[in-house]
Amino acid sequence: NGAVEKLVLANQHHAVLVVEGQATITHPRYSGVSRGLLHGAMPHGMILGHEPGRVHHGGLPHVALPALERVIAAYETMAEFSGGGKVIGVALNTRSLDAAAAAAERRSVADRLGLQTADTVRDGSDDLVAAVERLHRERRVGTRGGSA
């Protein structure tokens, strides 16, 4: 996390930084790495990756994946320790679904969570980019004391 923090601080002059994560904080084998990235990056916003149909962590068939709501709560709770941050979107990997099922899953996740959701391979990234841009605008307005 120290190396990531140094990179983030060295590049804070950019309007937006994207730090790609690894694994998940809910995976028993890799959560330490994921938490280190999370704390070092000190994100204002996070895009959660999710593969519909996957029921357990890779390599651990006896460890079920938690519901997305629990994963979001876990990320946002852990992010509080490094300044806060919220999940602003969900990137789906719908490779195991046909086009109709993938579209239905995208709508279902977006409606259930109230977040921008996209499979960037099928749909492109415009909706997720819009979520990042919206957060950036909100933060800029917030730092100006509410002015537009």
Side-chain angles (χ1 to χ4, degrees):
N1 48 337
V4 174
E5 181 179 5
K6 286 180 184 177
L7 288 169
V8 167
L9 293 174
N11 288 283
Q12 63 186 333
H13 57 281
H14 295 287
V16 174
L17 296 176
V18 176
V19 177
E20 191 267 333
Q22 296 293 314
T24 176
I25 62 171
T26 66
H27 195 296
R29 291 185 180 159
Y30 309 115
S31 60
V33 174
S34 299
R35 279 194 311 268
L37 282 170
L38 176 63
H39 291 297
M42 301 171 287
H44 299 119
M46 296 169 278
I47 305 286
L48 180 68
H50 173 62
E51 184 178 351
R54 181 181 269 193
V55 296
H56 58 79
H57 286 291
L60 299 173
H62 60 287
V63 180
L65 287 175
L68 286 174
E69 293 84 355
R70 288 191 66 210
V71 176
I72 290 169
Y75 269 97
E76 290 179 349
T77 297
M78 294 306 296
E80 287 176 14
F81 296 111
S82 59
K86 63 182 180 175
V87 173
I88 60 171
V90 179
L92 297 175
N93 176 347
T94 61
R95 65 182 170 183
S96 65
L97 305 176
D98 64 31
E105 181 68 15
R106 178 182 179 190
R107 284 189 303 275
S108 173
V109 170
D111 290 346
R112 190 172 89 228
L113 301 176
L115 296 170
Q116 293 284 16
T117 304
D119 181 326
T120 58
V121 173
R122 289 182 194 251
D123 309 317
S125 59
D126 290 351
D127 288 346
L128 298 176
V129 170
V132 171
E133 290 173 336
R134 183 171 36 258
L135 176 63
H136 179 62
R137 280 192 308 276
E138 290 170 2
R139 289 189 46 74
R140 284 182 51 215
V141 168
T143 60
R144 293 184 195 157
S147 64

